[in-house]
Amino acid sequence: MSTGIRLHAPAPGWAIEADVVVVGSGVAGLTAALRCAAAGRRTVVVTKARLDDGSTRWAQGGIAAALGEGDTPEQHLDDTLVAGAGLCDEAAVRLLVTEGPDAVRRLIDTGAVFDTSDATGEIELTREGGHHRRRIAHAGGDATGAEISRALVAAVHDAGIETVENALVLDLLQDADGRTAGVTLHVMGEGQHDGVGAVHAPAVILATGGMGQVFSATTNPAVSTGDGVALALRAGAEISDLEFVQFHPTVLFLGPDAEGQQPLVSEAVRGEGAHLVDAGGVRFMAGQHELAELAPRDIVAKAIMRRMQEQGAHHMYLDARHFGAQMWEQRFPTILAACRAHGIDPVTEPIPVAPAAHYASGGVRTDLDGRTTVPGLYACGEVACTGVHGANRLASNSLLEGLVFAERIAADIAASSAPRTGPGIPVPSTGPLLSGETRLDIQRIMTEGAGVLRSAASLEQAADALEALYGAALTELETHGKTAEPGTDSWESTNLLCVARVLVAAARRRAETRGCHWREDHPDRDDENWHRHLVVRVSETERRALVVTTTDSADFPSVRHPPIQEQ
């Protein structure tokens, strides 16, 4: 059932009718759209910028699948479970690794071109952190996401699928029983539609990507403001594992005060033999893990942070000078260009690197067919918590997860005959909107209190500061009837505050260090008390404010989640 919480926004002034609306245009969203359209469902794709502007096109390293000689899904499963630090759902991972290779082949059939060996013509595979085998397929050297996006966008255009670009999704439309009836959205001044409108559909697929912009420094594009998670929370869906935010270990360091999207230095650089060193040229990962620089990302990020603390440094270095100019130019042209644009030449000098927010391992809780706890609402890609990633994502599993679960969602929709429920029941807006300027405040609060290093004190400080932001806006609304002007900046800030509050609540509850959740005051993994998931919901209080409650998933690990309600 809906919580009755909605963003302040004008009433929809136009509407589109569809069978399925896909929100997002990365690998997950476009794959789902193509499969739904192929099954004869009237499909509309809504995306926040242009079709190719999501996180997918920024993916450098590649897509992981057991495609190489001697590699097996079972080995891929083992590496994924180890990286996930005990919280992966094995059934979800097994599905991923067994269906993954054929999903990649279908992606190739769609038009994606991967790098191949000159000698054999076979797909060229590399290694990344946490993988014991070379199983990462890449394209354009280090431009895998861009190639996948290109191929899928072309296929969507060829299929004649209706798209609405430059559209920020606002809220889920639901009928009197809480079943999905479509979405409201705001088109930002371009295209056939403008202003607030609606897409009416009995099935909605959230593929909105991540929420990296909740932190000051991130590899995520500016559009990654947690809109899908915030929408799902307002609609009454359950969220899980949001405390597990992966900080990529090797992001180009642009200065201690750098904010916004930062250039990524792909794990594949280490996969090809680059070394992490301190200012003295000393390799510090050797001896810390059997895979050294190719340990899972949480281990490498923690090692970098410890070395930085020990030496009072702002960054470490990634040394790949031994690659030579030709390898840099052919294998990593995108990274080479980004480094040189910022005055660093990896051919002749080490690259300054530091961890930055990269990937949300948690999100909207789904079953193995991508169904959420709201009937008719699906989620896939980074916005979803399928159980695959556990406490820490294995490198290059994200593109594969988007492919596999998007296909499963489309198959579920094709096999169902969901009734059209009408345009949905209008619900009054509740709670305040925050001004666009609040975004920077939220980011700094989260970076200081809930970043790579966390503690009870830092998280309490972050929670208090976030509640103060919300409380001030709520008081202004209740006392003076004023709130920020509805618009893209205020809606994004409000969504960021929503996901920030939930993330901090979950991080405060999990009193251990596991995967990419690092508590300085609880430095050890605690399987006796915390071998479980946190499920987060929101509800309305008398003040019509969001209240976050966390519930332990008591049936883990024998059953991944409490039962998904029947749809």
Side-chain angles (χ1 to χ4, degrees):
M1 181 65 68
S2 167
T3 64
I5 303 168
R6 290 290 183 272
L7 290 173
H8 279 277
W14 51 270
I16 300 172
E17 301 296 324
D19 297 321
V20 182
V21 56
V22 178
V23 187
S25 60
V27 62
L30 295 188
T31 299
L34 287 166
R35 301 293 181 266
C36 286
R41 297 295 192 265
R42 245 182 329 168
T43 303
V44 174
V45 175
V46 172
T47 189
K48 194 171 179 181
R50 297 189 307 272
L51 282 183
D52 63 350
D53 266 350
S55 292
T56 290
R57 76 180 181 97
W58 296 100
Q60 295 174 343
I63 185 167
L67 297 167
E69 184 177 354
D71 197 5
T72 65
E74 198 70 26
Q75 294 176 65
H76 190 182
L77 179 143
D78 290 342
D79 286 344
T80 301
L81 294 180
V82 169
L87 287 190
C88 295
D89 169 41
E90 186 168 341
V93 178
R94 190 171 296 281
L95 185 153
L96 176 84
V97 299
T98 54
E99 295 187 8
D102 283 343
V104 173
R105 295 183 184 103
R106 284 189 289 273
L107 179 61
I108 293 170
D109 291 341
T110 301
V113 179
F114 290 93
D115 296 337
T116 56
S117 167
D118 292 337
T120 66
E122 298 293 322
I123 293 177
E124 194 174 64
L125 302 173
T126 189
R127 278 183 68 192
E128 291 190 1
H131 293 271
H132 282 78
R133 284 192 173 272
R134 299 179 75 90
R135 65 167 66 97
I136 315 300
H138 49 83
D142 59 357
T144 310
E147 170 57 18
I148 290 173
S149 181
R150 180 206 63 77
L152 291 174
V153 168
V156 164
H157 286 318
D158 290 345
I161 296 173
E162 184 173 1
T163 62
V164 183
E165 296 183 300
N166 302 296
L168 170 64
V169 68
L170 299 177
D171 280 303
L172 190 72
L173 290 169
Q174 294 169 270
D175 66 14
D177 296 320
R179 183 172 180 86
T180 295
V183 293
T184 56
L185 61 153
H186 174 74
V187 179
M188 296 174 270
E190 296 184 31
Q192 181 178 354
H193 301 287
D194 193 12
V196 174
V199 181
H200 299 148
V204 171
I205 303 173
L206 290 180
T208 51
M211 55 183 193
Q213 290 290 327
V214 79
F215 295 97
S216 296
T218 177
T219 63
N220 289 195
V223 295
S224 297
T225 52
D227 308 317
V229 169
L231 174 150
L233 281 163
R234 289 192 295 269
E238 294 179 348
I239 308 298
S240 189
D241 297 351
L242 213 62
E243 67 270 33
F244 297 117
V245 176
Q246 186 177 81
F247 286 75
H248 197 289
T250 54
V251 175
L252 183 62
F253 180 75
L254 301 180
D257 298 322
E259 294 180 335
Q261 186 177 10
Q262 312 289 301
L264 177 66
V265 181
S266 170
E267 198 136 5
V269 178
R270 280 175 281 140
E272 296 293 351
H275 301 145
L276 281 166
V277 298
D278 60 20
V282 177
R283 285 183 68 186
F284 54 87
M285 282 305 302
Q288 293 205 29
H289 190 276
E290 59 164 332
L291 295 176
E293 280 90 355
L294 287 179
R297 287 178 176 172
D298 64 308
I299 294 172
V300 179
K302 290 171 187 174
I304 291 174
M305 292 297 296
R306 288 193 187 101
R307 197 69 160 192
M308 287 164 53
Q309 288 179 323
E310 291 168 3
Q311 299 186 348
H314 290 300
H315 61 82
M316 291 287 108
Y317 293 92
L318 188 63
D319 193 350
R321 290 175 289 180
H322 55 284
F323 285 5
Q326 183 176 1
M327 181 174 176
W328 267 110
E329 291 165 1
Q330 293 181 354
R331 181 67 179 85
F332 300 111
T334 307
I335 299 170
L336 178 64
C339 289
R340 285 177 170 170
H342 291 282
I344 304 295
D345 189 350
V347 177
T348 60
E349 58 187 318
I351 306 168
V353 293
H358 184 56
Y359 190 89
S361 293
V364 186
R365 189 169 72 85
T366 75
D367 65 8
L368 298 182
D369 291 314
R371 294 177 291 183
T372 74
T373 49
V374 174
L377 179 65
Y378 297 80
C380 56
E382 190 174 354
V383 71
C385 182
T386 63
V388 161
H389 304 305
N392 181 53
R393 176 177 68 101
L394 181 65
S396 287
N397 268 357
S398 53
L399 291 175
L400 190 71
E401 182 196 32
L403 273 182
V404 168
F405 285 88
E407 291 188 340
R408 294 187 67 84
I409 287 172
D412 190 70
I413 290 173
S416 68
S417 55
R420 185 166 294 280
T421 58
I425 306 299
V427 178
S429 302
T430 58
L433 285 179
L434 277 76
S435 68
E437 292 79 11
T438 312
R439 178 174 181 148
L440 290 176
D441 296 326
I442 296 167
Q443 291 171 334
R444 288 166 185 161
I445 290 167
M446 292 298 290
T447 297
E448 292 172 6
V452 182
L453 296 176
R454 302 168 177 174
S455 67
S458 76
L459 290 167
E460 181 180 8
Q461 186 175 8
D464 289 345
L466 293 172
E467 291 308 311
L469 287 178
Y470 185 79
L474 183 65
T475 298
E476 187 72 8
L477 176 64
E478 292 183 336
T479 305
H480 304 292
K482 295 180 181 179
T483 191
E485 188 71 21
T488 301
D489 290 345
S490 59
W491 289 321
E492 286 184 334
S493 291
T494 303
N495 285 338
L496 282 171
L497 181 63
C498 177
V499 297
R501 293 170 72 198
V502 172
L503 191 161
V504 169
R508 294 180 76 184
R509 181 75 178 275
R510 184 171 290 279
E512 66 159 354
T513 290
R514 181 187 296 270
C516 50
H517 173 64
W518 186 6
R519 287 281 299 262
E520 291 181 288
D521 52 338
H522 296 282
D524 299 317
R525 175 168 151 175
D526 183 1
D527 282 338
E528 181 177 353
N529 295 304
W530 287 106
H531 194 223
R532 63 185 71 195
H533 297 278
L534 293 176
V535 176
V536 181
R537 306 172 184 86
V538 299
S539 59
E540 267 191 304
T541 67
E542 292 179 359
R543 294 197 314 156
R544 310 188 76 78
L546 292 177
V547 174
V548 176
T549 59
T550 55
T551 305
D552 296 340
S553 175
D555 49 4
F556 180 83
S558 58
V559 177
R560 178 171 59 92
H561 288 308
I564 298 289
Q565 69 185 82
E566 289 296 319
Q567 297 188 38

